[in-house]
Amino acid sequence: QKEVEQDPGPLSVPEGAIVSLNCTYSNSAFQYFMWYRQYSRKGPELLMYTYSSGNKEDGRFTAQVDKSSKYISLFIRDSQPSDSATYLCAMSPTGGGNKLTFGTGTQLKVEL
Amino acid sequence: GAVVSQHPSRVICKSGTSVKIECRSLDFQATTMFWYRQFPKQSLMLMATSNEGSKATYEQGVEKDKFLINHASLTLSTLTVTSAHPEDSSFYICSASVAGGGSEQFFGPGTRLTVL
């Protein structure tokens, strides 16, 4: 069993839809949770960074962490074609600047 | 924001040759740099962690004699794939973070290696 599980998709939604992306994990030591966006043939860029359980909102993006269920989510509101990318969850016991364990990534396509 | 560059962005080489990939932090000093490889439609797999002036720490299953990592300065780390073979073809990505780990590591744009 992988430490971090993520549905690879692809996920196709119409423009304006609310997108829900999820990851589950097995290592209870993970305390820091991140969502990265990766465009084709590019490096990942950090979207959201959260510590422990709870919600965090930034513009159209909301990250949720439920440590009791070992489950994290990323919601994208009013999705745009420019949101089309692969979304990777990542986790660490000690902080985002240290060793990260990534999910496989979910490929998202937002269609006009 | 912090910028990390990689060079080259793409390289094609013959089997048996060695290839060097550079990773630079352009506007900050990176005490720690990470090297990942990514196969198509798969996640980033950490290969090694390097701290400036120290030997790299390799992940289990990564051959340290094949993937040579040098972190000679606070702004430059290199990955050399020695005696490359077609199975080494992949997307190699570096990232960099500041002292103490902090909250973020900054990723380079990646290098596409194709071994013929």
Side-chain angles (χ1 to χ4, degrees), chain B residues 7-8 11 13 16-23 35 47-48 56 58 62-71 77-84 88 92 113:
Chain B
H7 178 80
V11 58
C13 69
T17 61
S18 295
V19 174
K20 180 183 284 188
I21 302 170
E22 291 186 348
C23 176
W35 286 95
M47 300 174 65
Y58 290 81
V62 178
E63 299 176 60
K64 61 180 181 181
D65 294 331
K66 181 170 184 61
F67 298 99
L68 302 179
I69 292 172
N70 183 281
H71 192 165
S77 177
T78 60
L79 167 67
T80 301
V81 183
T82 62
S83 186
D88 298 323
Y92 291 87
L113 170 63

Side-chain angles (χ1 to χ4, degrees), chain B residues 26-40:
Chain B
L26 299 185
D27 51 3
F28 68 102
Q29 293 185 326
T31 50
T32 303
M33 288 186 169
F34 304 89
W35 286 95
Y36 297 85
R37 65 188 297 183
Q38 185 177 34
F39 292 105

Side-chain angles (χ1 to χ4, degrees), chain A residues 5-66:
Chain A
E5 298 278 359
Q6 185 176 7
D7 187 338
L11 178 63
S12 183
V13 301
E15 184 178 8
I18 296 175
V19 177
S20 173
L21 304 168
N22 311 292
C23 288
T24 59
Y25 63 96
S26 58
N27 188 346
S28 59
F30 289 141
Q31 298 281 344
Y32 298 84
F33 305 90
M34 289 134 277
W35 285 96
Y36 284 85
R37 178 173 62 194
Q38 186 179 23
Y39 292 110
S40 182
R41 300 188 183 90
K42 301 292 184 183
E45 57 177 322
L46 183 65
L47 280 178
M48 299 292 283
Y49 180 93
T50 54
Y51 169 71
S52 195
S53 287
N55 295 356
K56 183 175 183 178
E57 186 174 322
D58 185 0
R60 296 185 295 113
F61 298 92
T62 300
Q64 288 185 351
V65 175
D66 181 349

